[in-house]
Amino acid sequence: MSGQLLGDLAAHRLDDQPDTFEIGVTLARSSQGRGIATEALSVLLNHRFDHASARRVVAFCDARNIAVGRLLTRAGFRQESRQVDADWFEGEWTTLNGHALLARERGGARSRAEPPADHGGRLVLRFLSPGRARRGRIGTGVAAAAPRSPSDRSSTMDDGSPASRTPADSSEAVLVVGAGGVVGRSVVEHFARSGVRTRGASRRAPQDPVSGWDHLPVDLSDADAAVDGLRPAADTTRLAFAAYVEHADLAEQIAPNVALLENTLDALDRLDAPLRHVTLYQGMKYYGAHLGRFRTPAKEDDPRLMVPNFYYDQEDLLRERAASRGFAMTVLRPEAVIGYAQGTPMNLLMAIGTYVSMTKELGLPLRFPGARTTYDGIFYQMTDAELLARATDWAGTSPVAAGEAFNVTNGDVVRWSHLFERLAEHHGLDLAEPQSMELAQVMPSREDLWQRMVERHGLVATPYADLVDWRFADMILNSAWDNVSSLIKIRQAGFTECHDSADRLVELLDDLGRRRILPVPE
């Protein structure tokens, strides 16, 4: 009809690998979600495998680019590698996920579209608007690299010139409630870096934030204050709700936490926000992980428990409001979210990093400070905060996620004995036998050591009381039961990202060193 160019899909034969091709794709955001890239990729793969005798086709994309990951998964690719900080792009190191498809792994129907021409091992499909043929001409440059950003990162077109970066959908606006916490901070950073209009609500402004988003200082426990504070977010289309109020009594947790969510939803409704999707975060407490041994691997349809749990009340409220107000919703259930947010002491990354750093500062061998039975026999799991942010993005754009609850973790389980072996090696420490100690009793006396470490290593002067909640660390490091959830549901739904938890933990500790939050591991 119009002949408008919508995107570019390319394949390039690798000179040093027989019968191997690398592919890349760019597609205007306005044309995404219509099956265009899926159809074009099918044509290209048919041609490579059926007409060019390809044995293997590979693709690399920014690990934050969920859309491309889903596209490749639908086409039959599997993720086979993760290259951490492997690509320098637009002023930052980015992580690349490697995907591959072998000829023998292909399945499903073949496209009936006419195969495109091929010259010299390079092939380019151009996506044209309806009414024009989709066969592309062959250029002389190297084929495009796969998209390298959370949205539409620029790549190389078939003539070797830079492809223009398509801006984020101007109608999309994300509000993250609880932006100062580990989960909220990562979700804010994910969308801000994607070029999406992003706002984060919290009482206190996060320290050392990324650029590209607006902070809204608002008290969501007050209904009227919520309306006033969220007025700048009246155009919100997606809400990620990560706010939380702690209380020792389980029953007393319900009212304030339900009020936070209810006041947020009501404020957006009163402001006539065009809300389309809400993501609500829960955790393994949904299954009773805080009470004692529970059924593992926990599955999303496991029945609720009799004990008071604000997760249940929040979810019931959200489902009722979604049904009555016409927006979609998804519940995500991570465990032990690993990431950084300054001034958030209930943070396992900071607990482990601070304990190991202080051990090294004192010249002592590393000892697991929890129960010996936990060290040797318990399976545990973790969720990378950035992975959870990408799952949030996926949930808000994938129709199969609407109305569903999903467990979200790194995809593996760890034993503390193996993890502490890795930590000792990474920090150049000897590993000694575990020694159970109550960190909540021991560590407060080490504030003077922390102050010396700040001065000696030039660290950010985080108040010691804001550094770690040692009671939280004691609870996790002395758990006497496995903490494992099933990921079958979310994988079958299409979100397949994963991490090696030990690898990711040391990566994040290195990042804390670069930020001067903790000493650099040596």
Side-chain angles (χ1 to χ4, degrees):
M1 295 166 59
S2 68
Q4 178 186 3
L5 180 64
L6 304 180
D8 194 82
L9 182 65
H12 170 61
R13 186 189 298 270
L14 300 183
D15 295 335
D16 58 343
Q17 298 294 328
D19 302 324
T20 300
F21 295 82
E22 181 176 357
I23 65 170
V25 57
T26 57
L27 181 64
R29 180 178 288 273
S30 60
S31 300
Q32 293 176 10
R34 294 158 51 189
I36 297 172
T38 300
E39 179 184 349
L41 180 57
S42 175
V43 174
L44 182 146
L45 291 175
N46 290 348
H47 183 270
R48 295 292 89 177
F49 285 112
D50 298 339
H51 299 277
S53 302
R55 183 190 64 87
R56 174 179 165 87
V57 176
V58 299
F60 297 90
C61 67
D62 189 302
R64 298 167 297 181
N65 195 328
I66 296 174
V68 164
R70 290 201 303 265
L71 171 66
L72 295 171
T73 298
R74 288 195 299 270
F77 285 75
R78 55 187 158 69
Q79 183 180 330
E80 64 178 11
S81 69
R82 179 178 175 82
Q83 302 174 34
V84 177
D85 288 355
D87 185 42
W88 179 259
F89 186 85
E90 292 187 348
E92 64 175 340
W93 285 107
T94 60
T95 296
L96 299 180
N97 285 342
H99 302 260
L101 177 64
L102 296 174
R104 66 171 182 267
E105 295 171 330
R106 298 183 71 210
R110 301 290 191 267
S111 170
R112 297 177 182 177
E114 180 184 358
D118 189 1
H119 300 277
R122 292 180 175 83
L123 171 147
V124 174
L125 283 165
R126 288 266 175 106
F127 311 141
L128 299 176
S129 57
R132 292 285 300 273
R134 287 204 176 102
R135 288 181 60 186
R137 67 177 179 81
I138 307 305
T140 58
V142 177
R148 299 284 183 88
S149 83
S151 54
D152 299 291
R153 189 159 173 180
S154 59
S155 58
T156 305
M157 299 292 276
D158 65 300
D159 59 359
S161 62
S164 60
R165 177 175 178 170
T166 305
D169 183 353
S170 61
S171 68
E172 187 173 32
V174 175
L175 172 63
V176 182
V177 172
V182 177
V183 174
R185 180 187 178 108
S186 289
V187 175
V188 163
E189 292 185 350
H190 170 81
F191 283 107
R193 286 171 173 159
S194 300
V196 176
R197 187 183 306 112
T198 305
R199 301 180 183 94
S202 61
R203 290 191 179 187
R204 295 184 301 174
Q207 300 184 37
D208 190 30
V210 299
S211 61
W213 68 284
D214 298 318
H215 176 251
L216 305 180
V218 54
D219 179 7
L220 295 173
S221 64
D222 182 280
D224 292 331
V227 175
D228 291 337
L230 295 180
R231 198 172 300 279
D235 59 349
T236 295
T237 60
R238 295 178 61 180
L239 169 65
F241 191 87
Y244 167 67
V245 176
E246 177 61 50
H247 198 289
D249 186 281
L250 296 179
E252 294 296 325
Q253 286 183 342
I254 295 176
N257 282 289
V258 170
L260 291 177
L261 177 60
E262 185 170 29
N263 291 342
T264 301
L265 294 173
D266 287 350
L268 293 175
D269 187 56
R270 289 170 61 183
L271 293 168
D272 291 325
L275 190 62
R276 296 197 295 258
H277 188 273
V278 178
T279 301
L280 176 67
Y281 304 97
Q282 298 178 342
M284 295 299 286
K285 288 183 180 180
Y286 184 95
Y287 305 113
H290 57 310
L291 302 174
R293 189 177 299 275
F294 62 101
R295 184 179 184 272
T296 56
K299 295 185 177 182
E300 292 85 350
D301 59 357
D302 285 348
R304 292 179 175 182
L305 304 174
M306 184 182 295
V307 298
N309 192 323
F310 77 88
Y311 286 161
Y312 304 160
D313 299 84
Q314 280 190 331
E315 183 176 340
D316 290 343
L317 171 68
L318 181 59
R319 291 186 181 280
E320 182 273 323
R321 294 296 171 84
S324 64
R325 297 179 182 174
F327 58 80
M329 51 79 63
T330 304
V331 176
L332 299 181
R333 295 175 186 157
E335 172 60 13
V337 180
I338 302 294
Y340 173 66
Q342 194 169 4
T344 306
M346 290 182 63
N347 183 332
L348 185 59
L349 174 67
M350 286 299 297
I352 292 174
T354 302
Y355 174 75
V356 175
S357 296
M358 286 186 165
T359 297
K360 186 176 182 68
E361 193 74 14
L362 292 169
L364 300 175
L366 183 62
R367 297 179 183 273
F368 180 76
R372 181 64 190 246
T373 52
T374 304
Y375 182 71
D376 289 329
I378 298 302
F379 282 123
Y380 196 64
Q381 60 185 359
M382 300 175 181
T383 305
D384 174 63
E386 293 182 10
L387 182 148
L388 181 59
R390 294 191 292 274
T392 301
D393 197 348
W394 166 82
T397 56
S398 178
V400 298
E404 299 292 337
F406 296 100
N407 297 327
V408 186
T409 69
N410 288 348
D412 62 357
V413 294
V414 297
R415 287 196 192 276
W416 289 106
S417 55
H418 300 162
L419 194 59
F420 265 64
E421 288 175 3
R422 181 68 181 279
L423 290 170
E425 177 185 13
H426 190 68
H427 287 77
L429 293 170
D430 292 330
L431 183 64
E433 286 294 303
Q435 176 59 61
S436 180
M437 65 183 84
E438 192 172 347
L439 295 175
Q441 295 293 326
V442 173
M443 299 308 288
S445 66
R446 291 298 184 180
E447 183 172 0
D448 59 336
L449 173 61
W450 171 247
Q451 298 303 332
R452 293 198 302 271
M453 291 170 62
V454 169
E455 295 176 5
R456 179 183 175 190
H457 299 283
L459 305 180
V460 175
T462 306
Y464 192 63
D466 294 341
L467 199 63
V468 176
D469 184 341
W470 295 109
R471 296 169 302 174
F472 172 73
D474 282 331
M475 177 185 70
I476 291 178
L477 300 178
N478 289 279
S479 175
W481 48 87
D482 291 338
N483 191 321
V484 180
S485 58
S486 170
L487 296 184
I488 295 300
K489 182 178 179 181
I490 195 168
R491 285 173 172 168
Q492 290 179 336
F495 186 80
T496 58
E497 288 200 44
C498 59
H499 280 298
D500 181 291
S501 292
D503 287 347
R504 186 58 178 156
L505 181 60
V506 297
E507 288 171 12
L508 291 172
L509 291 174
D510 287 343
D511 182 62
L512 291 180
R514 288 190 291 269
R515 294 172 183 254
R516 294 296 177 185
I517 305 302
L518 293 175
V520 177
E522 298 176 356

